[in-house]
Amino acid sequence: MQTEKVTTAPSGYLAFVLVLVLVAAAAFTFYIEQPVIGVIICVINFVFILPGLAIVNPNESKVLTLFGKYQGTVKKDGFFWVNPFTVKKKVSLKAFNLNGQQLKVNDSVGNPIEIAAVIVWQIKDTAKAVFAVENYLQYVNIQSEAAVRHLANSFPYDHIEDENASITLRGGSEQVGLLLVQELNERLDRAGIEVLEARISHLAYAPEIAHAMLQRQQASAIIAARRLIVEGAVGMVEMALTKMEEKNIIELDEERKAAMVSNLLVVLCGDKAVSPIVNTGTLYH
């Protein structure tokens, strides 16, 4: 496989001055009626000198090939003169953004989900990008889609589907992003491309199961909230009974303790405000 070879080209300003001088010389020969010499000067100027001028902009490069053979890559920005018979292919070294399309795939437990990723990449080896693959832009698109699909198949959407999962697509965004960068770099190394960053930009259940999964998540949230409320209420009842015993406020038999605990739990665990009833009689009537 061809690897990048950075080459240094001579400055093009001297060659540009020579072009102007030859143009003036050709014009002078035509003026003094020496057309043969003028034609020869024009051929030398426009065939051997002028085509060799090349401008390399910042964060760009020129890949040079001579009769099918790779000659090197000019990465330094500026005005240069190279072999006029070389083919100069411009390759951008800037960072590219790939906003991937939404893909419908199955997660590791089989739930259909929609997923998309944003990928930041740039070319690090111009020779591989030009000669190793047919079209590096298309190569990045296809391999990125394959990597996102493989990643989605490797992890569950959430802990609801797999409680023992160490990484989930929804909860482990940082780890998932790092794994995606690693896999993309392995896939795109053949094309001389380096992935700088990758993030999941869209993640959701597929429409056919979205409503059912939303109800499941709501039910899990309600159960978790109720569990927390009950734990807090039991702690408050225990604290109330302990304080009453410590300060000898009142002595209650087991039946009255059970009634008090029941009433406190109803008040503390209820999702609506209660209306208290004042007992004006005795404790037992």
Side-chain angles (χ1 to χ4, degrees), residues 91-277:
V91 177
S92 177
L93 302 177
K94 301 175 183 178
F96 292 84
N97 267 326
L98 173 62
N99 188 13
Q101 61 180 347
Q102 294 183 13
L103 305 175
K104 186 176 180 181
V105 297
N106 293 332
D107 65 2
S108 62
V109 295
N111 292 323
I113 62 173
E114 293 180 347
I115 188 172
V118 173
I119 300 167
V120 181
W121 61 275
Q122 66 179 170
I123 294 175
K124 66 175 181 179
D125 191 315
T126 56
K128 288 183 178 180
V130 174
F131 303 118
V133 294
E134 182 67 27
N135 185 323
Y136 62 85
L137 292 175
Q138 185 181 19
Y139 188 81
V140 171
N141 289 335
I142 294 175
Q143 292 299 323
S144 298
E145 179 178 334
V148 172
R149 287 183 180 275
H150 179 261
L151 185 76
N153 293 332
S154 302
F155 302 104
Y157 179 89
D158 207 345
H159 285 292
I160 297 177
E161 285 76 26
D162 188 355
E163 295 181 355
N164 298 322
S166 58
I167 301 176
T168 63
L169 298 174
R170 184 169 175 263
S173 57
E174 293 292 334
Q175 294 170 296
V176 170
L178 293 176
L179 292 173
L180 182 57
V181 169
Q182 181 180 352
E183 181 168 353
L184 284 170
N185 280 323
E186 293 175 357
R187 289 174 175 266
L188 300 179
D189 181 68
R190 180 180 182 84
I193 292 171
E194 179 183 13
V195 175
L196 305 177
E197 184 181 0
R199 297 285 182 181
I200 301 298
S201 60
H202 174 78
L203 182 64
Y205 286 112
E208 57 266 28
I209 67 167
H211 182 66
M213 287 301 179
L214 179 59
Q215 290 181 325
R216 183 176 179 180
Q217 289 178 347
Q218 290 175 341
S220 299
I222 292 173
I223 292 173
R226 287 295 181 185
R227 183 182 295 115
L228 183 62
I229 291 173
V230 170
E231 290 178 358
V234 170
M236 294 176 67
V237 170
E238 182 181 4
M239 182 181 65
L241 293 174
T242 303
K243 291 294 184 181
M244 292 174 64
E245 290 179 358
E246 289 178 354
K247 296 185 178 181
N248 294 322
I249 296 175
I250 189 174
E251 292 184 3
L252 298 175
D253 57 21
E254 295 301 324
E255 183 181 353
R256 292 304 171 183
K257 283 184 180 180
M260 179 179 176
V261 169
S262 175
N263 292 334
L264 286 175
L265 288 177
V266 170
V267 172
L268 295 174
C269 296
D271 56 354
K272 295 181 180 179
V274 297
S275 300
I277 298 176

Side-chain angles (χ1 to χ4, degrees), residues 36-113:
V36 176
I37 298 176
V39 170
I40 293 174
I41 293 174
C42 288
V43 170
I44 294 173
N45 194 20
F46 293 104
V47 175
F48 294 98
I49 299 178
L50 187 62
L53 296 176
I55 298 175
V56 181
N57 296 316
N59 276 334
E60 287 185 356
S61 64
K62 295 285 187 180
V63 178
L64 308 178
T65 54
L66 180 62
F67 303 125
K69 185 176 181 181
Y70 173 59
Q71 298 296 306
T73 302
V74 180
K75 283 189 170 183
K76 184 179 179 181
D77 56 284
F79 187 39
F80 304 100
W81 186 84
V82 296
N83 190 324
F85 297 105
T86 56
V87 177
K88 299 175 281 293
K89 182 177 179 59
K90 182 178 73 172
V91 177
S92 177
L93 302 177
K94 301 175 183 178
F96 292 84
N97 267 326
L98 173 62
N99 188 13
Q101 61 180 347
Q102 294 183 13
L103 305 175
K104 186 176 180 181
V105 297
N106 293 332
D107 65 2
S108 62
V109 295
N111 292 323
I113 62 173

